[in-house]
Amino acid sequence: MDISARRASFVDISMEMASIRSKMSGIYVLSIESHALGHIGNMPEALSKYLFGCTASSHRLSARMFLASFSAAISLCTNIQPLWAENSSTSNASLESLAKSAARAAAGRNYDLAEAIYKQCVTIAERNVDQPDCLIDSLENLAGMYEQTGRKSDASRAYEQSLRIAEQHLGPENAGTTAILDHLATLYTDQHHYERAEHVVSRALSLRIEALGPTHRETSDTREFLARTLARLGKYTEAAQQYQQEIAVLERSGNLDSVPVLDILEQEAHDWRLAGNLKEAIQCLQKLIILGEKNHPEKTIRLTMRAHLVLSEIYGMQNKLRECEAELTTAWIKADQISPPAKQLIAWNDIGYSCSVRRCFTKAVQCYQKSLSICRLKLPREDQLAATAMQNLGIALNSAELPLDAERQFKASLVLQEKCTGRSSIEAAYIHYLLACTITPRPLCQIRAEYKRCADIVLTTPPSLVPDPSHVAPWVFETANIFSAIDRKLARKLYTRSLELSTRSDGPHCAISVRTAKALTELDQGKD
């Protein structure tokens, strides 16, 4: 078919689309056939204008009419493909027009249309074997749309295909290849595929060190990403070593006086501690305190306070009681100096939690009483932070074997929490759980009622709306244990919800996910 015949075919298809559009009650009044005849040498603009009208008016069309009009657009793409093959600039402009139309559809939440157009872009680009950049861009656009709509697996597959093409045609050291590796690492992490993420981000780090040097900001970001990934895999020593390398690079370049360095040191100390290397952890924390007090004493007071607190915990583990008390006293002094009130409140909560972990419940009670007094004096009367402070104080009192005082705090916290977040909030459900766990002289039916109220709220809240699922999953699991002996149907629902939450937050192989899956299996087999 010669060029004139192809153009005639193009006009015929344009007239067919005009006939379809004439049934749209004037929604898209610009005539596509006039664009086709007026821009017979500029078909990308004709296609762009048609798709713009199709996208802009799609929400007002019937499904049948819309599909017919969109099919005509795809037919146009297919029939003018031979012309594109003869003119690469025309082909690129047409793909750009399609991509813009898809982006408009996605922005209007018309994701089915966006996906169809992006897939058509990929199909067209696959035919233009001499221009791999177009195919890579089209696949990345499709992957980005999948990622935007939560289709992580589909996005991963599209990026993987894009990566193979980029490595083949652009080379493994190309900046575009490295960018695709970044996308894949993020997606694998979101899906809890940490082994894959480690492999991909390690490659990206090696490429950036070679291309940009070890001190470049992008190299540093990639190294920290790798450290976080290693920590998620439980490779705490390797994670800490990555942070150690980052500190060494910053030290050689004379950049140790910045606040982000202190965050890196804190995370390095955390990983050394989890790895059991307390000596390295202590050195990191001491270095953090020295740098923070020397360079940014006001900005980093809360950070250095936490460092003193962790040092106190480590010395307690080593039975160095004098050093433990000295670090805890310093943390108390710094907590009083923190402002504004909301951050000071968080500081006292941190100290109270640390004391609770070390079973120093009397000191924990004192810390939470301080945080509660801050709430009453410096924050609005119905502030959610006050409800949390009462709740924390109740937990400490219960641990200190003062259940009646704890019950009073929980009830006061529940009243305030319901005013702030509603009677059916997850925060309120947690307080019902705490009330049920508090051992006080009361009828068994009241205890069961608290557990039942907690269960009802959890099961009526969609998992996607649950805040901090890694914190919620364990106490939902414990609530399911209570009902496993008296209401197996309800227990199964609670175990299932706990598994959903723990899998979403920490993956299917975390401790709580494994325990919950085992409990579900035993429940189904009829075991107690």
Side-chain angles (χ1 to χ4, degrees):
M1 183 186 290
D2 57 15
I3 295 294
S4 59
R6 291 174 190 164
R7 289 182 174 174
S9 175
F10 172 75
V11 172
D12 290 342
I13 295 168
S14 301
M15 296 297 289
E16 179 184 349
M17 287 188 291
S19 175
I20 293 172
R21 197 199 57 262
S22 66
K23 302 174 184 178
M24 296 183 186
S25 305
I27 292 174
Y28 179 49
V29 294
L30 294 175
S31 171
I32 189 64
E33 70 270 22
S34 66
H35 285 300
L37 295 170
H39 301 85
I40 196 69
N42 190 356
M43 285 172 279
E45 185 175 348
L47 179 62
S48 175
K49 290 185 178 182
Y50 175 76
L51 283 172
F52 176 79
C54 181
T55 305
S57 61
S58 61
H59 66 286
R60 299 175 60 188
L61 301 176
S62 68
R64 180 180 178 184
M65 188 64 69
F66 174 75
L67 288 173
S69 60
F70 181 68
S71 296
I74 298 303
S75 177
L76 173 61
C77 295
T78 304
N79 278 270
I80 64 177
Q81 170 61 28
L83 291 179
W84 289 348
E86 296 170 7
N87 189 334
S88 60
S89 62
T90 299
S91 174
N92 292 343
S94 301
L95 284 171
E96 184 177 350
S97 298
L98 282 167
K100 287 180 179 178
S101 299
R104 281 194 294 267
R109 299 182 181 276
N110 195 338
Y111 298 119
D112 290 340
L113 173 60
E115 181 181 3
I117 299 176
Y118 279 136
K119 283 184 175 179
Q120 187 64 27
C121 288
V122 172
T123 301
I124 294 169
E126 284 175 337
R127 297 171 185 167
N128 298 333
V129 293
D130 296 332
Q131 294 182 309
D133 285 350
C134 293
L135 180 55
I136 293 170
D137 290 343
S138 298
L139 284 167
E140 288 188 17
N141 287 336
L142 179 61
M145 195 275 297
Y146 284 144
E147 191 172 2
Q148 180 184 355
T149 54
R151 296 167 62 178
K152 306 288 186 182
S153 298
D154 291 332
S156 297
R157 283 191 288 271
Y159 277 126
E160 286 166 357
Q161 184 180 353
S162 176
L163 179 63
R164 288 192 294 270
I165 296 167
E167 289 176 331
Q168 181 180 353
H169 294 280
L170 304 180
E173 299 177 359
N174 186 275
T177 303
T178 310
I180 298 172
L181 289 171
D182 290 340
H183 286 300
L184 272 175
T186 302
L187 280 167
Y188 288 152
T189 301
D190 291 343
Q191 297 172 83
H192 309 293
H193 298 158
Y194 300 125
E195 292 86 357
R196 295 184 190 177
E198 179 193 359
H199 173 70
V200 168
V201 77
S202 296
R203 284 186 56 196
L205 178 60
S206 299
L207 292 173
R208 286 207 164 95
I209 291 175
E210 186 175 345
L212 305 174
T215 61
H216 194 276
R217 182 67 258 174
E218 289 184 17
T219 305
S220 297
D221 291 342
T222 307
R223 188 181 289 111
E224 291 175 32
F225 194 122
L226 176 58
R228 291 192 296 272
T229 304
L230 290 167
R232 289 188 175 102
L233 286 167
K235 300 178 180 180
Y236 298 114
T237 299
E238 294 176 42
Q241 288 170 346
Q242 290 296 329
Y243 287 121
Q244 197 173 50
Q245 290 178 25
E246 180 65 16
I247 292 296
V249 168
L250 292 170
E251 194 167 13
R252 286 196 298 269
S253 60
N255 292 324
L256 276 183
D257 58 345
S258 62
V259 174
V261 170
L262 305 183
D263 294 323
I264 296 172
L265 282 167
E266 183 181 40
Q267 193 58 53
E268 183 188 346
H270 176 73
D271 288 339
W272 281 127
R273 183 182 175 186
L274 291 175
N277 194 333
L278 300 182
K279 181 179 178 181
E280 290 285 355
I282 290 172
Q283 290 177 358
C284 287
L285 293 166
Q286 289 174 338
K287 191 172 187 178
L288 185 160
I289 292 168
I290 292 170
L291 290 174
E293 292 179 346
K294 176 183 176 182
N295 299 318
H296 308 280
E298 294 182 359
K299 290 183 180 179
T300 61
I301 187 169
R302 183 164 170 250
L303 197 58
T304 54
M305 184 276 296
R306 285 206 306 265
H308 283 292
L309 193 58
V310 176
L311 278 172
S312 173
E313 294 174 7
I314 293 174
Y315 288 138
M317 293 166 62
Q318 297 176 329
N319 290 322
K320 297 180 179 179
L321 301 182
R322 183 179 298 176
E323 290 88 344
C324 174
E325 285 298 322
E327 294 295 343
L328 183 59
T329 300
T330 305
W332 278 52
I333 294 170
K334 285 183 175 290
D336 272 330
Q337 299 170 357
I338 293 174
S339 62
K343 290 186 176 180
Q344 189 180 37
L345 174 72
I346 294 171
W348 282 115
N349 284 341
D350 289 342
I351 298 175
Y353 177 76
S354 176
C355 292
S356 295
V357 169
R358 287 182 289 132
R359 305 188 68 81
C360 300
F361 299 121
T362 302
K363 289 185 176 179
V365 169
Q366 293 174 0
C367 292
Y368 289 132
Q369 285 174 336
K370 276 182 171 288
S371 66
L372 185 56
S373 65
I374 292 170
C375 290
R376 288 170 174 167
L377 294 174
K378 300 180 181 181
L379 295 177
R381 292 189 64 180
E382 293 186 0
D383 193 285
Q384 191 176 352
L385 289 173
T388 303
M390 293 176 189
Q391 171 186 301
N392 290 336
L393 178 57
I395 293 172
L397 289 166
N398 201 25
S399 300
E401 298 182 357
L402 298 170
L404 292 175
D405 293 334
E407 185 180 36
R408 281 194 291 271
Q409 290 298 329
F410 288 143
K411 288 181 177 179
S413 174
L414 181 60
V415 171
L416 186 53
Q417 190 68 258
E418 288 179 343
K419 288 181 180 178
C420 296
T421 59
R423 296 175 62 87
S424 299
S425 66
I426 288 294
E427 293 84 357
Y430 181 51
I431 302 175
H432 283 292
Y433 168 77
L434 293 172
L435 277 167
C437 294
T438 305
I439 301 175
T440 55
R442 52 184 168 157
L444 182 61
C445 62
Q446 289 185 9
I447 298 174
R448 286 185 179 177
E450 295 291 357
Y451 278 122
K452 185 65 168 64
R453 179 59 181 152
C454 168
D456 290 342
I457 294 173
V458 168
L459 294 175
T460 54
T461 303
S464 59
L465 299 181
V466 173
D468 195 5
S470 61
H471 168 258
V472 175
W475 57 262
V476 173
F477 172 79
E478 295 298 335
T479 305
N481 285 341
I482 296 296
F483 284 105
S484 61
I486 55 178
D487 189 339
R488 294 195 168 211
K489 184 177 180 181
L490 179 57
R492 194 180 199 293
K493 290 180 181 179
L494 288 168
Y495 281 134
T496 303
R497 180 54 52 88
S498 176
L499 186 59
E500 290 173 349
L501 295 173
S502 60
T503 301
R504 186 162 67 89
S505 61
D506 300 310
H509 304 298
C510 69
I512 187 65
S513 293
V514 172
R515 288 174 62 198
T516 308
K518 182 180 178 181
L520 266 172
T521 302
E522 292 178 351
L523 191 71
D524 290 340
Q525 292 174 350
K527 295 181 181 180
D528 292 331

